[in-house]
Amino acid sequence: GVDLALPGLVAEGVVRQAPNLGWNAVPAAELFAQALRDDGAQLPVGSDNEANSAALAQLWAGAPGGARTFVYLSGDIGVGGAVVLDGELLRGAHGFAGEIGHLVVDPNGPDCRCGSRGCLERYAGQDALLQAAGMDPGDGIAVLARRVADGSGAPGARRARDAVEQAGTMLGIALSGAVNLLDPETVVLGGFYRELADRLAPAAEREL
């Protein structure tokens, strides 16, 4: 079979809302299944939030220290999140648990595509990070990571490091609430956060 990993609120094969894609009530699983049938393939198709899928993959592959209870964060265009408790994915009453990227870290912060203000992803998502670093959105995280690792002291490198440290601080603010609420064994950073972990994680840990 096939399982789609989708960025947004996903339930029963439908993407209820995906702000960064501009999707609302899109039956993604059925559309993909139909495309497969048109090509002659007969495969069952499922779907889930991309961070949920990544957290389950991390659980099955072995989380750090063999943890069975952890919070997973994924850096991408936005910020994905998932929670694993005692080896089971926490889904919540409607399947939308773990949306850490839309925890408010500054009530007076910038508008978010989800309709709120000051959400974590407005500080720690890819677009927000590149903007804070004074970079073009097309530069990508790989270019940002190189600037962060640049020890020359050039203004662009300093600004990139400051942007990543600020994002780490905001991650720490959001995670402090999650840690107090859920008492996880560990926090796992995925997506592009792995590339920035050397500077991102210490800032988050200081805030925690």
Side-chain angles (χ1 to χ4, degrees), residues 53-139:
S53 297
L56 287 174
Q58 182 69 72
L59 176 68
W60 298 333
R68 303 280 292 170
T69 295
F70 60 89
V71 174
Y72 176 87
L73 280 95
S74 175
D76 205 292
I77 299 300
V79 178
V83 178
V84 174
L85 295 176
D86 296 325
E88 297 289 337
L89 187 67
L90 177 66
R91 292 192 176 275
H94 305 95
F96 304 151
E99 286 290 333
I100 295 172
H102 293 290
L103 289 182
V104 174
V105 293
D106 181 1
N108 299 313
D111 292 338
C112 182
R113 295 184 183 97
C114 76
S116 189
R117 293 177 62 88
C119 292
L120 175 62
E121 77 169 39
R122 296 295 288 117
Y123 298 92
Q126 176 178 295
D127 290 351
L129 261 174
L130 293 174
Q131 182 179 9
M135 297 171 59
D136 188 276
D139 288 336

Side-chain angles (χ1 to χ4, degrees), residues 144-158 160-161 199:
L144 175 63
R146 287 197 295 272
R147 289 194 184 181
V148 169
D150 183 353
S152 68
R158 290 197 302 271
R161 288 193 293 271
R199 191 162 291 268

Side-chain angles (χ1 to χ4, degrees), residues 3 14-15 63 71 84 149 158 185:
D3 202 61
V14 177
V15 181
V71 174
V84 174
R158 290 197 302 271
E185 297 171 70

